[in-house]
Amino acid sequence: MTVEPNSIPGFVAELFRAANEIEKLGTEERQRLLERASHTIGDLRAAMIRAGRVLELERTDPTFRLRAISLQAKDIPSSRIAAELLGAAQEIRTLKIKLEQPTEGSA
């Protein structure tokens, strides 16, 4: 799966909308959004590595956490799912911004 840069702002907006209307979403839709967010973050991280960008290491990889939560979505409180969707939206937005920044010597 490869992320289209032009589709990222729309997906981030979709994640924010979903988090704010979490009670309207069924389990399958919650799972789909969590999985898509996981894949998008993974793709953006891979693009950063290919571009020679430094990634901050985190204690937990958000891609694994999002996948695990998506598998258990029916048993996780809506507030936790909403928080994960908002966190994923922020991570995606941050990675996109970092990827688009010019590197030293390329400006």
Side-chain angles (χ1 to χ4, degrees), residues 11-74:
F11 182 50
V12 167
E14 183 179 356
L15 290 173
F16 275 108
R17 268 192 308 276
N20 289 323
E21 300 176 351
I22 195 69
E23 297 301 332
K24 295 180 182 179
L25 301 180
T27 300
E28 288 181 15
E29 181 65 8
R30 293 175 185 198
Q31 289 174 315
R32 183 190 71 78
L33 288 167
L34 290 163
E35 282 289 323
R36 185 172 168 205
S38 174
H39 287 292
T40 301
I41 290 168
D43 288 349
L44 286 168
R45 286 173 160 246
M48 296 254 320
I49 291 168
R50 284 192 304 273
R53 302 296 179 96
V54 175
L55 287 173
E56 292 94 23
L57 297 177
E58 300 174 16
R59 286 187 119 173
T60 59
D61 184 335
T63 60
F64 293 123
R65 187 183 66 250
L66 290 168
R67 286 184 190 139
I69 290 170
S70 76
L71 293 172
Q72 303 170 37
K74 68 180 170 79

Side-chain angles (χ1 to χ4, degrees), residues 76-89:
I76 295 179
S78 295
S79 59
R80 172 78 190 277
I81 301 284
E84 291 295 336
L85 292 174
L86 290 173

